């Protein structure tokens, strides 16, 4: 009977969800139709991750809401996923996401949706 050899481990792919990845501060700029519950729905995406934004600013003009939020304590990948979820809200027209401060992963803003 031949000797059994251990199978060499395959190289691991990058784990974008790892808690050990570098955290960053992210700025979201959201343009959406003004609806009474929209702000709660947008902020709920942070609450579900146990995150509290450092800064939130909202202005309403001509039936549109401009929401700007800065959040830190999450990876760039997680920030992008949250942005995509916001983009899928029915009243949201655009979501733009940019890193604030030092982030080696990306140096330019990302436009997640353009209406």
């Amino acid at each position: 009977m031949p000797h059994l050899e251990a199978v060499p481990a395959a190289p691991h792919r990058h784990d974008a969800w790892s808690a050990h990845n570098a955290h960053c501060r992210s700025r979201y700029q959201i343009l959406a139709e003004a609806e009474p519950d929209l702000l709660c729905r947008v902020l709920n995406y942070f609450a579900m991750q146990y995150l509290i934004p450092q800064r939130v600013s909202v202005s309403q003009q001509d039936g549109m809401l401009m929401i700007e939020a800065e959040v830190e304590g999450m990876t760039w990948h997680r920030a992008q996923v949250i942005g995509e979820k916001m983009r899928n809200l029915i009243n949201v027209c655009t979501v733009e996401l940019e890193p604030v401060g030092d982030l080696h992963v990306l140096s330019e803003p990302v436009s997640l949706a353009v209406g």
Side-chain angles (χ1 to χ4, degrees):
M1 189 173 201
H3 178 66
L4 297 176
E5 295 181 13
V7 177
H12 294 283
R13 64 185 174 106
H14 176 69
D15 182 6
W17 293 102
S18 174
H20 302 294
N21 290 343
H23 289 187
C24 65
R25 178 178 275 206
S26 305
R27 179 181 299 129
Y28 294 85
Q29 293 178 329
I30 303 139
L31 180 66
E33 297 172 13
E35 291 293 326
D37 66 338
L38 183 71
L39 186 58
C40 292
R41 289 188 284 146
V42 165
L43 294 176
N44 190 47
Y45 285 117
F46 301 126
M48 289 191 298
Q49 300 294 317
Y50 296 101
L51 296 168
I52 299 172
Q54 276 65 39
R55 188 175 69 81
V56 176
S57 140
V58 182
S59 61
Q60 178 184 352
Q61 184 176 3
D62 298 328
M64 300 296 286
L65 286 179
M66 179 60 189
I67 304 167
E68 189 171 303
E70 283 188 19
V71 183
E72 75 178 280
M74 64 181 150
T75 64
W76 181 246
H77 180 264
R78 188 173 302 268
Q80 289 176 310
V81 170
I82 290 173
E84 288 294 333
K85 289 178 180 275
M86 289 176 183
R87 182 185 70 80
N88 288 327
L89 292 172
I90 192 81
N91 299 102
V92 171
C93 300
T94 63
V95 176
E96 291 193 18
L97 173 63
E98 64 182 349
V100 178
D102 186 27
L103 179 64
H104 303 294
V105 178
L106 186 71
S107 60
E108 295 181 11
V110 174
S111 180
L112 298 172
V114 177

